Amino acid sequence: MQTYLVGGAVRDALLGLPPGDRDFVVVGATAQQMLDAGFKQVGRDFPVFLHPQTGEEYALARTERKSGRGYTGFAVHANPSVTLEEDLRRRDFTINAIARAEDGTLVDPFGGAGDIEARVLRHVGDAFVEDPLRVLRAARFMARLAPLGFTVAPETIALMRQMAASGELDALVPERVWQELGKALRSAAPSAFLQCLRAADALRVVLPEVDALYGVPQRADYHPEIDTGTHVEMVCDMAARLAPGDELIGFGALCHDLGKALTPAAELPRHVMHEQRGVAVANAMSERLKAPSEHRELAALCSREHLLVHRIAELKPATIHDLIARCDGFRKPMRIDQLATVCEADARGRTGHAETPYPQAATLRRLFAAAQSVRGDAIAASGLKGPDFGAALRKARIAAIAQARSQPAIEP
């Protein structure tokens, strides 16, 4: 019985990245031997065990054979005769098909270490096409690895295009799409996720609402990048820069301009009312992906309100109050901070504007803080109730916003 460290832990060590979870493969053992050694078996379909002390995962070496459609249609074969190379062969990418023996020796039958050195994401073998989830995984890996200089091997892109054309991606369930999308939005370069899927002709299947934005022109005086899809890529990357690892902000950024795909051709490159049109699209995409409710709500309000935030210096105090109220900001204060961040990402996610100051974000936060400072209990003490109380509270909050606006902002 031999044990090897495999997968992401080996890959990330070779990349010089911080270590994450460690996974192990065990060659030459039976399930009973693992149980006798004190390991706890988890799941019923795969021979995976938890170490009795560390809780780390140890899997018996196994092979997989395609037995049905989609990413769940596999027959698993695990017994002591399965070799380490056979186990590594079933993995998706060469950089994930490297093992490290207990004495530190690398076992790298598919050249993964060389691909890490060359910064290439390459599939292990032709069995790659059997699992549609691997298309999403390739794109998600690129969201993480593109800043390190990685590109996808041309032959891997060709296989991904073949999978998209075959209809195999239709088997992906929303939960798995959302899981991979979330990981991409938490990465440093979400744009690489979108670009990889587009290169594989898979974005139209996975995120058709986003795919529809490519080729839609915008006014060059506002958007030097012109193409709306390119703009959304830039906004998602800026959101990742402003709020690293925050998929909620990332999803708001991804959805903020979905309405531009619905602009009548005769009106292009102007996009009048795109923010209102985008709400229905954002809601539909969120519903299809089964996104969490807070993601759905933020996506919709970012679409609806982002142009108002850009123009906050022109807005009346009452308009600013009502914007906050529509976002349910008084009950959920984080909404306003999130909206401000997405709007800043929108403004700075344009060619030549990455370092342009966006004072509107600070202004929105400052005026919101002023409105929050109004105490409802003081108004209630006057005996007002029901609609009269609500009207008085609104009036007091508007007055607080007006007073805060009249005072010079304090530089941080």
Side-chain angles (χ1 to χ4, degrees):
M1 185 169 73
Q2 294 176 298
T3 301
Y4 299 86
L5 182 68
V6 294
V10 180
R11 176 198 68 226
D12 290 349
L14 293 174
L15 284 167
L17 298 176
D21 295 335
R22 303 198 309 165
D23 296 310
F24 298 85
V25 65
V26 182
V27 179
T30 65
Q32 190 58 52
Q33 285 176 300
M34 299 294 288
L35 295 172
D36 291 345
F39 286 80
K40 178 182 178 182
Q41 186 166 358
V42 293
R44 300 171 59 181
D45 298 328
F46 298 107
V48 178
F49 302 82
L50 300 182
H51 191 282
Q53 276 78 49
T54 66
E56 293 175 320
E57 289 192 358
Y58 286 68
L60 297 185
R62 67 183 189 265
T63 60
E64 295 174 346
R65 180 176 55 82
K66 185 74 168 175
S67 60
R69 187 173 174 80
Y71 58 89
T72 59
F74 289 90
V76 176
H77 172 67
N79 67 41
S81 69
V82 177
T83 67
L84 177 61
E85 181 172 337
E86 287 174 326
D87 182 272
L88 295 176
R89 186 184 299 278
R90 68 176 176 80
R91 298 173 187 267
D92 48 11
F93 305 106
T94 60
I95 65 172
N96 295 331
I98 310 171
R100 188 184 296 277
E102 293 174 323
D103 64 3
T105 303
L106 286 184
V107 181
D108 182 19
F110 305 105
D115 281 342
I116 287 176
E117 186 70 22
R119 298 298 196 255
V120 174
L121 186 69
R122 191 190 318 274
H123 65 284
V124 170
D126 291 342
F128 182 89
V129 300
E130 296 177 349
D131 185 354
L133 186 61
R134 289 176 171 174
V135 173
L136 286 178
R137 281 173 58 81
R140 186 253 293 176
F141 271 117
M142 286 305 298
R144 183 186 182 206
L145 298 176
L148 301 179
F150 271 78
T151 59
V152 185
E155 62 268 30
T156 300
I157 287 289
L159 280 184
M160 292 165 65
R161 292 183 68 86
Q162 176 184 326
M163 296 165 73
S166 72
E168 186 79 3
L169 300 186
D170 295 337
L172 292 169
V173 299
E175 291 82 359
R176 295 310 298 267
V177 174
W178 177 256
Q179 184 179 29
E180 298 299 323
L181 173 60
K183 290 177 181 178
L185 293 174
R186 293 194 295 272
S187 300
S191 63
F193 176 83
L194 301 176
Q195 291 164 3
C196 182
L197 289 178
R198 280 199 80 219
D201 198 27
L203 189 62
R204 62 176 177 80
V205 180
V206 177
L207 295 173
E209 299 88 351
V210 178
D211 186 63
L213 297 175
Y214 289 90
V216 176
Q218 303 166 110
R219 287 177 55 180
D221 50 342
Y222 288 117
H223 290 277
E225 70 283 356
I226 299 179
D227 188 275
T228 305
T230 300
H231 169 58
V232 169
E233 289 179 5
M234 298 173 73
V235 175
C236 287
D237 283 356
M238 182 57 67
R241 174 179 164 184
L242 296 175
D246 192 330
E247 72 177 49
L248 185 56
I249 297 295
F251 192 62
L254 180 68
C255 296
H256 84 284
D257 261 354
L258 293 178
K260 287 184 176 178
L262 302 181
T263 299
E267 296 180 13
L268 296 173
R270 299 172 68 245
H271 291 277
V272 178
M273 300 293 289
H274 78 272
E275 61 274 28
Q276 287 84 1
R277 292 189 182 107
V279 173
V281 186
N283 285 337
M285 188 170 96
S286 298
E287 182 70 24
R288 191 186 73 258
L289 294 175
K290 299 186 178 179
S293 59
E294 62 178 346
H295 292 69
R296 302 181 191 204
E297 293 164 6
L298 183 66
L301 70 89
C302 285
S303 175
R304 187 181 67 234
E305 310 293 355
H306 68 277
L307 288 191
L308 278 181
V309 177
H310 293 336
R311 296 173 43 238
I312 194 167
E314 310 166 19
L315 303 183
K316 297 178 181 178
T319 304
I320 296 170
H321 171 277
D322 294 346
L323 182 158
I324 294 168
R326 281 196 305 275
C327 296
D328 204 11
F330 294 112
R331 287 196 318 121
K332 300 177 180 179
M334 284 301 296
R335 285 268 181 88
I336 304 306
D337 182 69
Q338 291 159 349
L339 174 62
T341 301
V342 172
C343 289
E344 180 172 357
D346 179 30
R348 295 174 60 186
R350 298 178 293 156
T351 298
H353 290 273
E355 306 305 325
T356 301
Y358 185 72
Q360 293 95 322
T363 298
L364 176 59
R365 293 183 177 108
R366 181 169 62 89
L367 299 183
F368 175 50
Q372 275 186 303
S373 70
V374 175
R375 296 181 58 86
D377 53 359
I379 296 174
S382 66
L384 294 176
K385 298 179 180 179
D388 292 336
F389 169 82
L393 180 60
R394 179 177 183 272
K395 182 178 180 180
R397 285 171 169 168
I398 292 171
I401 291 171
Q403 182 178 7
R405 167 175 274 178
S406 68
Q407 299 171 345
I410 300 174
E411 294 295 331

